[in-house]
Amino acid sequence: MTDANWEQTIRRFYEQEFDDSDTHGSIARMRELVSGRPEGDAEALFELAGVHDALGLEGKAIPLYRRAIETGLKGTSALRATIQLASTLRNVGDFAEAVSILELMPHAGTDEGARQAFLALALHDEGRYGDSLRVALGALIPTLDGYKRALTDYAAQLPSTFASP
């Protein structure tokens, strides 16, 4: 199956077949789809992680995300898997690892805004409120027509805080 066909198959799964009220059925269908990929395929692991995550099964998604990344996931999928792993870690209360992953990852291209949004959430959950707001403003400022200089200055003046959430 070509990469384009695989992407189409996954898109169709989420648009037509995924049912968050049928955990078993959705996982079984994704397992059926990934069975057509080579054993240990990074893209298949990523999609299997994603379906577990979407169904609220974060504990099962985390090791699958890690394996997908370690197996050599490439391109946009690698960036998204890293963002999704960090978001899922945040959801299970591992704020520090989520922050670390998101701060250390490279620019996420078209998903850079998502990386910054999840980083802002994780920083907030970690009790770093000034840092959280600075990241959120940093994501917003480039989209504005005016006030960029003033908001950039105000964001830079926010204190780096660490308080218990």
Side-chain angles (χ1 to χ4, degrees), residues 18-127:
F18 177 78
D19 180 356
D20 61 0
S21 69
D22 182 10
T23 301
H24 178 73
S26 291
I27 291 173
R29 178 63 180 133
M30 181 57 75
R31 285 192 184 283
E32 183 181 323
L33 293 173
V34 301
S35 71
R37 305 283 291 194
E39 183 69 29
D41 179 76
E43 286 287 341
L45 290 167
F46 170 50
E47 294 302 339
L48 199 53
V51 77
H52 281 85
D53 201 1
L55 292 165
L57 303 171
E58 291 92 348
K60 293 185 179 190
I62 291 169
L64 291 167
Y65 282 133
R66 290 187 196 279
R67 279 185 47 216
I69 294 164
E70 291 165 4
T71 303
L73 200 58
K74 303 278 189 239
T76 302
S77 293
L79 295 171
R80 289 182 177 168
T82 303
I83 291 168
Q84 288 172 221
L85 170 61
S87 172
T88 304
L89 288 165
R90 177 189 161 268
N91 287 342
V92 299
D94 194 344
F95 312 133
E97 186 175 4
V99 167
S100 177
I101 287 170
L102 292 166
E103 284 183 332
L104 294 174
M105 75 177 288
H107 189 279
T110 59
D111 289 324
E112 179 60 16
R115 184 195 71 81
Q116 290 180 22
F118 286 114
L119 176 57
L121 289 168
L123 287 164
H124 184 272
D125 289 340
E126 199 174 36

